[in-house]
Amino acid sequence: MTSPLILVNLKTYKEGMGNRAHQIATAAQLVARESGAVIGIAPGYIDLHPLCHHFTIPVYAQHVDGYEPGAKTGHVTVDAIRFAGAAGSLVNHSERRLTLAEIELSVRALQAHKLSAVVCSNNEITSAGAAALGPAYVAIEPPELIGSGISVSKANPEIIKRSVTAVHAVNPKVKVLTGAGIQSGECVKIAVDLGTDGVLLASSVVKAPDPVAVLRDLVSKL
Ligand code: G3P
């Protein structure tokens, strides 16, 4: 059985940049190796290239623009993250919402280069819409629980169940992640037992004084 994906979004937290991004990646690689779990990270763009080259864990961008390379300024194309060594990208994160047309453009561009698209959604209806694009993952995150310290697994297991059903009704090959307030092995286990293929999380790892301890706990019940 393939391990569920534990994907840690470093967001723009000060505790997730520069040396600290390297520390979190080191922790993720250590815990992945000792547990066999798949742990990925999504750092800011500045840290993307060095982390891809220093670590073997999957490294994702937090956003990507679906434009062709060329005469565009201030955009980050799929080629840019691909040459940096990224495994894929988040698309339409709750803190980086896109139009439907932009989501499609980004997903298609990632797919064209065989990179993994993780399309974020806020409920089962948008989860189903995202699934229609056939990304590698749809990640359901109720916005009101993001960064709240209240776990979606415990506060709203129903939305996870409904999203898994909605996504698989559209395309059974699309994997489902869930996120918001995920902080322990118990949260991860509930999410996986509800039919997801892993979790997308941030603050509990990024802000932890000891990310190794939190990551060990996160994978402890897999
Ligand atoms: O991208 C993950 C995120 O939105 C969840 O954040 O801090 O609630 O784990 P957090």
Side-chain angles (χ1 to χ4, degrees):
M1 190 190 109
T2 323
S3 159
L5 172 63
I6 312 292
L7 182 51
V8 183
N9 178 4
L10 306 190
K11 300 201 173 181
T12 52
Y13 284 124
K14 276 199 260 180
E15 301 91 331
M17 294 175 182
N19 284 343
R20 176 71 184 173
H22 278 255
Q23 276 170 25
I24 294 169
T26 304
Q29 186 153 290
L30 171 75
V31 176
R33 280 189 179 153
E34 66 187 23
S35 66
V38 179
I39 304 177
I41 56 167
Y45 288 128
I46 303 296
D47 296 308
L48 190 67
H49 184 259
L51 293 185
C52 289
H53 286 269
H54 287 116
F55 297 93
T56 54
I57 54 172
V59 181
Y60 287 72
Q62 295 177 7
H63 162 81
V64 72
D65 296 302
Y67 302 118
E68 290 296 318
K72 286 261 184 273
T73 301
H75 297 278
V76 179
T77 61
V78 168
D79 276 311
I81 68 162
R82 183 165 72 96
F83 294 142
S89 181
L90 303 181
V91 175
N92 192 46
H93 189 279
S94 179
E95 293 146 3
R96 190 67 166 84
R97 283 288 187 236
L98 302 175
T99 64
L100 193 51
E102 289 167 333
I103 296 170
E104 183 183 13
L105 210 57
S106 297
V107 172
R108 296 284 173 246
L110 287 162
Q111 288 169 333
H113 291 291
K114 303 208 177 332
L115 297 190
S116 178
V118 181
V119 182
C120 300
S121 63
N122 58 331
N123 59 40
E124 60 271 32
I125 296 168
T126 54
S127 298
L133 298 170
Y137 293 94
V138 169
I140 164 74
E141 298 197 307
E144 69 281 6
L145 296 177
I146 292 177
S148 69
I150 301 167
S151 161
V152 60
S153 298
K154 296 184 183 173
N156 200 349
E158 285 306 316
I159 200 170
I160 302 176
K161 249 194 259 174
R162 289 199 304 268
S163 293
V164 170
T165 307
V167 166
H168 290 161
V170 173
N171 185 342
K173 288 192 185 149
V174 175
K175 296 178 178 172
V176 181
L177 303 179
T178 193
I182 299 289
Q183 52 200 280
S184 67
E186 203 192 342
C187 302
V188 176
K189 182 172 173 13
I190 293 170
V192 171
D193 287 349
L194 290 170
T196 71
D197 299 278
V199 295
L200 176 59
L201 76 163
S203 48
S204 66
V205 173
V206 181
K207 295 182 148 193
D210 183 358
V212 171
V214 178
L215 286 162
R216 281 189 178 136
D217 182 28
L218 285 164
V219 301
S220 63
K221 296 188 190 311
L222 293 177

